[in-house]
Amino acid sequence: MIFKIAGLGIVTVFTALIVRGERPDVAVAIGIAGGLAVILCVAEYFTDVARLLAELAERTGVSGDLVLYMLKIVGAGYVVEFACDTAEDAKMTSLANKISIAGKILIFCLTIPVIAELIEVIASLAEYGG
């Protein structure tokens, strides 16, 4: 799989470099398409990891919602990073910065249920121990 990803990346870079001199806009589109293709190559691994985490949560009694929030947080981080990099590749630094700020706010909001669950666990441990 790693050779497929590396090969796809190299072909994308060379294609974009060849096209960039004549059509910079098309070169950016090639870069975005290549990036999406690379991400789609590893998407199946993400679903396997999500399934494993769900099974682990079920066996340990951890809330499935908590695992779902954690996956959303990680996924949001990757999506925002990809969007920021894409905007920077297109020479839109200001847009990349705004995407980054919005992503950080979203990730913060997604962590609130996780923090609330953690506080509940700590409170229940304090009641049990006290």
Side-chain angles (χ1 to χ4, degrees), residues 72-128:
K72 283 182 181 181
I73 291 166
V74 171
Y78 286 129
V79 169
V80 167
E81 183 71 21
F82 182 80
C84 287
D85 289 347
T86 301
E88 287 178 2
D89 288 346
K91 308 283 190 257
M92 301 176 129
T93 308
S94 179
L95 177 61
N97 292 336
K98 287 166 182 62
I99 293 169
S100 177
I101 290 169
K104 289 172 185 173
I105 292 168
L106 173 66
I107 290 169
F108 173 74
C109 292
L110 287 171
T111 61
I112 299 301
V114 176
I115 292 169
E117 183 78 21
L118 181 61
I119 291 170
E120 286 180 28
V121 168
I122 291 171
S124 68
L125 289 173
E127 288 176 10
Y128 180 74

Side-chain angles (χ1 to χ4, degrees), residues 16 40 44 56 59-60 64-65 74 93 96 110 120 123:
L40 289 175
E44 68 184 72
L56 258 154
R59 278 192 256 154
T60 59
D65 289 341
V74 171
T93 308
L110 287 171
E120 286 180 28

Side-chain angles (χ1 to χ4, degrees), residues 42-81:
V42 296
E44 68 184 72
Y45 292 107
F46 185 74
T47 57
D48 291 342
V49 169
R51 192 175 314 112
L52 175 67
L53 287 174
E55 289 173 11
L56 258 154
E58 189 176 307
R59 278 192 256 154
T60 59
V62 172
S63 169
D65 289 341
L66 187 62
V67 173
L68 182 62
Y69 278 114
M70 297 297 282
L71 290 173
K72 283 182 181 181
I73 291 166
V74 171
Y78 286 129
V79 169
V80 167
E81 183 71 21

Side-chain angles (χ1 to χ4, degrees), residues 5 8-9 11-13 28-41 82:
I5 293 168
L8 190 56
V11 168
T12 300
V13 167
V28 170
I30 290 170
I32 292 169
L36 286 173
V38 167
I39 288 174
L40 289 175
C41 285
F82 182 80

